Every structure is written in C-alpha cells, then in structure tokens.
Amino acid sequence: MKKYILGIETSCDETAAAVVADGREVISNVIYTQIPTHTLYGGVVPEIASREHVLKINQVIKKALSDAELDWSDITAIAVTYGPGLVGPLLIGVSTAKALAYAKGIPLVGVNHIEGHICANYLTEKKDPSSQVPQDDKLSPPYMCLVASGGHSHIVRVDDYDKFTIIGRTHDDAAGEAFDKVARAIGLGYPGGPKVDKLAREGNPQAIDFPRASVGDSPYDFSFSGIKSAVLNYLNGAEMKGLEVNKADVAASFQQAVIDVLVDHTIKAAQDHNMKTVALAGGVAANSLLRKTMKERAEKNGQIFNCPELIYCTDNGAMIASAGYFEYESGRRADLYLNAVPNLKIGER
Ligand code: KG4
Ligand code: ZN
C-alpha cells in the first residue's frame, strides 16, 4: 500500500503544502508565494512573512488534500520544515503541523529544509517529453549534490536517503544572495535570480572578466562576496566616468563567473569522491545556464546528471514530503515538543 506524506513548508516566503506517495510521486502541490508582497520592500520582511503564512496556511493545506482527492485518514504522516529558516515563519508551519498531527492522530516528522531541497531530485510526476530530467531512471544515493539557494551554498555528498555529508560550503554570501544583490544593483528588483538569468541571455558572458574566487584550503568551498563587490565597483566606476553600462553584459558576465565556480567545484568533488552521479538542488538550480553547464560537464566526464523539475527547485511542500517519507521510513518521529531551529545544520538529527 502506498504511503502518502503531507509536506508543509513555511521557512521563508512561500506557504506550501503537498502530498507525495512513497517519497517520489507528487499527488498534489500547492504553493502560495508571497513574492508580490515582499517585492514592495526589495526583499523578505520576516514579520510580514509570518503574518501571511498565518493567513494562508490552512487554505493551502486544505487544497493540497482536496487536489490529491484524499482524506486525513489516507495520510500516513505529516512532514514539516523545522529549520533552517526565519524563526517566525518556521513556527507557523511547525505549530500547524503539530496541531494537525495531534487532532487527527497522525505521526509527525521534522524535516531539514536543505535536505528537502536535495530530495526534490526524487520527485516525478506525469512524463514531460521536453524535460531535462531522466524520468525513467530512478535516482538513488550515493551522489554528489550542489545545493544553491538564497540562504545556502553547499556541496553535499548524499550517502543515503537520510544521510548527508557536507563537502564544501560558502564562506560568506550564498549564490542566490549574490544573484539577488547584483540584480538590485542593476535595477532588476526582487527576487533577482530569475531576472538576471533572463537578461543574461541577451548579453556577452565574456564582456567583463569578473573574479572566480577560491577560498582557504578547500577546493570545494565558495566565496561570492568578492564577485558581488567587483560588480558594484564596476557599476560605480562606470557611473563616475559617465559611461553607459550594458546591463545585459554585466548580468551575463556575472552569471558566467558564478556558474563556472559552482560547476568546477561540484564536478571536482564528485570526481574526487568517486561519485557516478551529480545532482542540483535549491532555487539557483532553476538557473538555465547552471542546468545546461552542469549537465554538459558531468556527461563529458561520464557522470550521470540529475536535476529537479523547475517547479521543485524553489521552495515547495513536495520536497518536504519526500524528505519526510525517508525520515518516516527510518523510524524517526517528532513529538509535540518539536520547535523551530533557525540555524539547523544539514545532517543534524
Ligand atoms: O530555494 P529558494 O526558493 O529559497 C531559499 O531556500 O533560499 O531559493 C531562492 C533563491 C533566490 O536567491 C533566487 O534569486 C534564486 O534562488 N533563484 C535563481 C533562479 N531562480 C531562483 N537564481 C539564479 N537563476 C535562477 N533562474
Ligand atoms: Zn529553499
């Protein structure tokens, strides 16, 4: 019999719930995005995010169940993101999940948001012929995964469905954060990643030689604050000289520099750790150049490439339901003392 997990995600600016069968098959996926609200302020305002989650969460969960055409009695477990993320928003999801688990008598599992992003790689739905995802091959650990989002940039060795080892990390900004800051500097607004991605298609990636930084002793670590400063200096320098800036060239050159580093380090980590498969996760995994470049480089090396469908790259409840399924199968349960852990680390239990 299939195990249906209800996944709930409220760690940042998406109120999301989904039902996934056996960790892979998406039955329903409901996302209420608060982006239009936060756009007014140029970024996420935590207090406003919390209030929006309170307003929407019950409707989003109700719709996830009705879209799935399931009742509470069909749900095997409720999985909820309890960290990392913004404490107020996390608490809305955690307290709602606990209340539902208690009221309906359904087991509860806590999920790490970053591990959820990684598990998005297991999700499949109806076959899409234009998909880049090899939908007939079921991805299974071990593999090397780059997780790049607005708050995190890690290279993670996925040893098992619920076992993760960090191989590389950023020393300062996350990749998505750099995209967002550069987008703001060239006047593209929030969230910047998709807008830089689009504008970069019209620009020359070789126009400006932005730095590709390596840091410390680790060949797998990242630093993105240097490139962000280099872009800001370039823009200020041009302004002082009264020169007009080609924004598309800036976007394309910045994007190329970030993607070069992300791909080089991930491919090297996979090779050094004898991983046959390379995967992508997190909001930045939606970037078209990153998807294309990582696929080409991995396949050139004889490695298999996997990435989630676009809709599962940015925050969603289905990835939380998938990670929750593997937690459930490993026997771990959360109790009604489950609390939000804003700085929860990958692999922490
Ligand atoms: O995973 P996510 O939805 O939220 C976090 O957990 O942070 O990631 C959001 C981040 C933002 O920084 C956004 O600008 C970036 O992912 N992003 C992109 C693209 N789509 C989203 N960055 C580059 N290219 C994209 N197409
Ligand atoms: Zn995320």
Side-chain angles (χ1 to χ4, degrees), residues 196-218:
V196 171
D197 190 349
K198 196 163 166 232
L199 183 62
R201 285 175 214 161
E202 294 158 28
N204 172 6
Q206 266 96 45
I208 310 150
D209 191 17
F210 288 129
R212 277 114 172 113
S214 282
V215 272
D217 303 332
S218 169

Side-chain angles (χ1 to χ4, degrees), residues 9 11 113-114 117 149-150 282-283 313-315 319:
E9 158 61 39
S11 68
H113 180 79
I114 309 297
H117 272 300
S149 71
C313 287
T314 44
D315 292 348
M319 68 187 200

Side-chain angles (χ1 to χ4, degrees), residues 139-163:
L139 175 69
S140 58
Y143 57 93
M144 197 61 79
C145 188
L146 170 69
V147 195
S149 71
H152 304 270
S153 295
H154 292 290
I155 295 176
V156 179
R157 196 181 67 212
V158 183
D159 301 309
D160 207 337
Y161 289 102
D162 61 344
K163 197 160 176 289

Side-chain angles (χ1 to χ4, degrees), residues 203-242:
N204 172 6
Q206 266 96 45
I208 310 150
D209 191 17
F210 288 129
R212 277 114 172 113
S214 282
V215 272
D217 303 332
S218 169
Y220 316 124
D221 283 2
F222 303 113
S223 166
F224 295 112
S225 68
I227 183 167
K228 176 197 67 192
S229 305
V231 174
L232 297 180
N233 288 342
Y234 178 86
L235 295 172
N236 288 337
E239 197 185 334
M240 277 161 63
K241 288 182 208 142

Side-chain angles (χ1 to χ4, degrees), residues 318-340:
M319 68 187 200
I320 303 305
S322 174
Y325 169 78
F326 297 113
E327 278 295 298
Y328 180 85
E329 288 296 273
S330 72
R332 277 185 291 270
R333 304 283 181 269
D335 59 23
L336 296 179
Y337 291 98
L338 181 69
N339 203 350

Side-chain angles (χ1 to χ4, degrees), residues 164-205:
F164 307 86
T165 308
I166 298 177
I167 304 296
R169 52 166 55 82
T170 180
H171 286 227
D172 40 57
D173 290 353
E177 200 178 345
F179 269 92
D180 293 336
K181 287 178 179 168
V182 165
R184 194 177 306 160
I186 53 178
L188 296 179
Y190 167 85
K195 294 181 174 145
V196 171
D197 190 349
K198 196 163 166 232
L199 183 62
R201 285 175 214 161
E202 294 158 28
N204 172 6

